[in-house]
Amino acid sequence: MAKDPGRVLIFDTTLRDGEQSPGASLNLEEKLAIAQQLARLGVDVIEAGFPFASQGDFLAVQKIAEQVGGEDGPTICGLARASSADIKSCYEAVSPAPKRRIHTFIATSDIHLEHKLRKSRKDVLSIVPEMVSYARSLVDDVEFSCEDAARSDPEFLFEVIQVAIASGAGTINIPDTVGYITPSEFGELISRINNNVPNIDEAILSVHGHNDLGLAVANFLEAVKNGARQLECTINGIGERAGNAALEELVMGLHVRRSYFNPFFGRDSDSPTPLTAVRMDEITKTSRLVSNLTGMVVQPNKAIVGANAFAHESGIHQDGVLKNRLTYEIVDAKTVGLRDNRISLGKLSGRSAVRARMEELGYDLSREDLNEAFARFKDLADRKRDITDRDLEAIVSEQVQQPEARYQLRLVQVSCGNTLRPTATITLANQYGQEETTSAVGTGPVDAVCRALDSLAAVPNELIEFSVKSVTEGIDAMGEVTIRLRGEGKLYSGHSADTDVVVAAAQAYINALNRLVASQAVCSLHPQRDNVDVHPLPSL
Ligand code: KIV
Ligand code: ZN
């Protein structure tokens, strides 16, 4: 049986696999903000990125390793293909963290070997020990993944895993890369690995899985029953294609049904000891932060973090819940940190009240960031009577999107109505502070704003999605706008909130355009699509 830490380790890959979602690219400040929140959430490992992809990815992993991974904090991990150049770069990026991990991988399925890598099984069996031991010569903590394990020949998989462990891998990860397997098959595969790999007791077994058939969470729970003790997951289930297994669903599944899962950990079924180290009351906040910064809107009926997850609509249900919550509720919303929107601050609140509330919400802002947040707060308080926690969260997430901005929005003015042609006037400043103004006519005020912005920024793009929702209730609520646009074949998203939805739309559009421009300046590799030649080991 594989090593058992006595509970499930949560390996969060929101910043690596999650960031591979179309349109979800994040800047350095945003990655740092998410990593800090993941540390507050209590995940065991943060996969912070793929350092070899680009200079930007490298710097983000390095910053997270410097600022987020403490002695008592999460392990900071980077992804590396089974190549010495990738592994070296990964090592350099994660090295500032006291607890650091290199996660290296190579595909093991025949379909990947033949069509993607153009390598034989024999090649893989010689690359794995060379690369795992190289990684192990740099750090103590090495994870090895057999990409597309779920479609690999199990006998070959056993051989590769045995070799990886013998070369020093302490964690063996079994990915269902294409989301193909079913729960009982996955459980059986994990059990067969446990029974057929002679040195499996020297490693922790981990699983990674995609949601192409909507089975990722169910697959993982079956894997846990068969000895998997690390789950690779993402906040809101974001990730490549249909996404990854959702962290919040796994954690809450293991919590709510712990009496069912406890015996698989050798515990009494009524043991109260948690099965993960996640602080469940941080889940809602983490979900909102990730959604705001990635522009990946959470569907209302999404388990645990969707807007309707705790809403009872039918009269019969409402009546039952009023008599006894347990009639229709298996999770109390407070457990995942969903509070009534506390009306906390207003126009007369001072800086220290804002700072104190921000700290209570878990935002530890630097002096400059607090100054900026306070200015935004004052501006909002002039337009909106009660400032809620959600408003403060919107202010913070707005702020972290700005630092690398190429274009700054200086003025938005629209005229529209049933007898007017919707017209927008926009002033934009470039990175040197030079301003330009133009006007455009559109089918509506938002269309007019986008046309004016397009003619000023002159960055070819196509608007793919525009969505507005209110942050809180009430006529003076802030409207949150998410925009997704396509430029040079890739998706980019932007998000913004304001009491004026037209202003929010203009800012969200600018945020998306800024991302598009920033990504044009770098050439970034994809860990799974871009092939690698196995470089020889650097000579000593
Ligand atoms: O889906 C996958 O196989 C991966 C690996 C790189 C772990 O993301
Ligand atoms: Zn993946």
Side-chain angles (χ1 to χ4, degrees):
M1 198 65 175
K3 255 195 208 158
D4 190 351
R7 64 172 175 86
V8 170
L9 303 174
I10 296 293
F11 175 114
D12 181 279
T13 182
T14 304
L15 294 172
R16 198 279 295 169
D17 209 316
E19 213 222 0
Q20 288 173 214
S21 314
S25 63
L26 297 160
N27 68 31
L28 191 137
E29 296 287 325
E30 292 165 339
K31 287 183 186 175
L32 208 48
I34 291 178
Q36 271 150 355
Q37 180 54 31
L38 289 172
R40 278 192 286 271
L41 180 68
V43 304
D44 298 283
V45 184
I46 295 177
E47 187 165 53
F50 170 41
F52 194 73
S54 69
Q55 177 76 349
D57 287 58
F58 180 93
L59 287 176
V61 177
Q62 197 179 45
K63 268 267 162 322
I64 291 170
E66 274 164 21
Q67 298 190 13
V68 184
E71 283 295 351
D72 303 321
T75 297
I76 305 300
C77 169
L79 183 69
R81 296 166 299 182
S83 121
S84 56
D86 273 46
I87 291 172
K88 187 163 178 283
S89 151
C90 183
Y91 164 66
E92 283 161 8
V94 297
S95 65
K99 294 195 290 185
R100 57 215 174 177
R101 176 181 292 186
I102 295 176
H103 174 193
T104 187
F105 74 98
I106 193 164
T108 47
S109 67
D110 288 337
I111 194 160
H112 274 228
L113 292 193
E114 189 183 334
H115 301 287
K116 185 179 100 159
L117 298 181
R118 296 184 204 288
K119 292 199 188 305
S120 65
R121 290 183 178 192
K122 199 163 152 246
D123 294 334
V124 170
L125 282 172
S126 85
I127 293 168
V128 170
E130 191 181 8
M131 290 303 139
V132 171
S133 30
Y134 175 50
R136 208 31 231 284
S137 72
L138 303 171
V139 293
D140 290 339
D141 186 353
V142 173
E143 170 168 336
F144 173 74
S145 283
C146 318
E147 192 191 10
D148 207 17
R151 291 191 302 171
S152 302
D153 170 2
E155 297 298 331
F156 178 55
L157 201 60
F158 304 152
E159 258 187 278
V160 175
I161 294 172
Q162 182 178 355
V163 165
I165 296 174
S167 313
T171 303
I172 295 294
N173 185 39
I174 309 299
D176 178 21
T177 302
V178 293
Y180 175 77
I181 210 159
T182 64
S184 54
E185 287 173 316
F186 206 34
E188 194 190 319
L189 178 62
I190 298 299
S191 155
R192 286 185 67 193
I193 292 172
N194 263 318
N195 292 325
N196 289 281
V197 177
N199 52 359
I200 196 68
D201 59 341
E202 292 167 36
I204 289 178
L205 256 177
S206 165
V207 286
H208 176 109
H210 286 265
N211 213 18
D212 300 64
L213 297 176
L215 294 174
V217 168
N219 286 340
F220 277 28
L221 294 177
E222 210 50 38
V224 165
K225 285 164 59 181
N226 287 281
R229 290 294 178 264
Q230 175 180 279
L231 305 182
E232 299 201 354
C233 45
T234 60
I235 302 296
N236 302 335
I238 64 171
E240 201 63 61
R241 304 182 311 279
N244 287 72
L247 180 148
E248 61 279 3
E249 294 176 21
L250 291 165
V251 168
M252 293 314 291
L254 289 168
H255 171 71
V256 172
R257 300 304 313 279
R258 60 189 179 281
S259 58
Y260 172 73
F261 288 103
N262 273 334
F264 296 99
F265 291 77
R267 307 174 179 188
D268 289 342
S269 62
D270 57 0
S271 164
T273 312
L275 284 169
T276 72
V278 166
R279 285 175 214 111
M280 291 175 285
D281 59 352
E282 291 286 334
I283 285 179
T284 301
K285 184 147 57 91
T286 316
S287 160
R288 284 180 184 158
L289 183 71
V290 169
S291 168
N292 287 347
L293 296 185
T294 57
M296 306 280 294
V297 178
V298 175
Q299 75 198 55
N301 58 327
K302 163 86 180 59
I304 314 296
V305 291
N308 295 349
F310 298 98
H312 298 283
E313 189 69 17
S314 112
I316 298 173
H317 288 205
Q318 286 172 352
D319 180 55
V321 168
L322 287 175
K323 287 177 176 143
N324 184 333
R325 268 189 38 237
L326 298 178
T327 50
Y328 287 101
E329 254 182 40
I330 58 162
V331 181
D332 179 350
K334 290 197 198 77
T335 317
V336 292
L338 187 67
R339 284 167 295 180
D340 296 338
N341 249 308
R342 266 182 55 181
I343 294 170
S344 42
L345 301 166
K347 203 179 160 115
L348 299 176
S349 307
R351 244 179 96 82
S352 48
V354 172
R355 191 190 50 217
R357 189 72 203 122
M358 288 281 196
E359 276 171 9
E360 271 174 55
L361 288 173
Y363 298 110
D364 187 12
L365 302 182
S366 69
R367 201 182 158 78
E368 298 84 69
D369 287 344
L370 180 66
N371 286 347
E372 197 181 327
F374 187 61
R376 284 172 191 260
F377 165 81
K378 278 290 183 200
D379 178 49
L380 181 61
D382 278 340
R383 291 176 283 142
K384 186 174 187 290
R385 204 164 60 92
D386 301 313
I387 309 289
T388 65
D389 292 348
R390 295 271 351 244
D391 294 323
L392 292 179
E393 282 168 5
I395 286 174
V396 176
S397 64
E398 178 84 8
Q399 223 167 292
V400 287
Q401 289 184 81
Q402 308 299 322
E404 291 168 9
R406 154 82 85 86
Y407 298 111
Q408 300 271 355
L409 187 65
R410 291 282 155 83
L411 172 111
V412 191
Q413 191 181 315
V414 289
S415 60
C416 58
N418 64 346
T419 57
L420 293 175
R421 296 187 70 195
T423 309
T425 303
I426 297 279
T427 303
L428 266 194
N430 65 15
Q431 70 267 50
Y432 310 110
Q434 294 155 335
E435 294 188 358
E436 238 188 294
T437 301
T438 197
S439 298
V441 173
T443 53
V446 173
D447 184 46
V449 161
C450 294
R451 284 171 193 265
L453 282 169
D454 268 346
S455 78
L456 286 174
V459 183
N461 73 84
E462 180 194 352
L463 185 66
I464 301 292
E465 189 186 314
F466 170 82
S467 75
V468 192
K469 68 177 196 255
S470 78
V471 174
T472 51
E473 287 101 46
I475 196 73
D476 63 352
M478 289 219 276
E480 266 180 331
V481 175
T482 302
I483 275 182
R484 277 149 82 77
L485 46 86
R486 195 192 314 274
E488 298 205 325
K490 279 181 76 182
L491 289 179
Y492 299 87
S493 58
H495 172 270
S496 186
D498 197 283
T499 48
D500 183 329
V501 288
V502 177
V503 175
Q507 187 60 61
Y509 201 77
I510 283 293
N511 290 344
L513 282 179
N514 277 330
R515 286 211 162 106
L516 197 170
V517 175
S519 93
Q520 279 173 344
V522 287
C523 159
S524 197
L525 288 173
H526 186 290
Q528 290 161 281
R529 281 196 285 272
D530 292 305
N531 240 335
V532 63
D533 272 334
V534 181
H535 299 283
L537 290 177
S539 50
L540 293 171

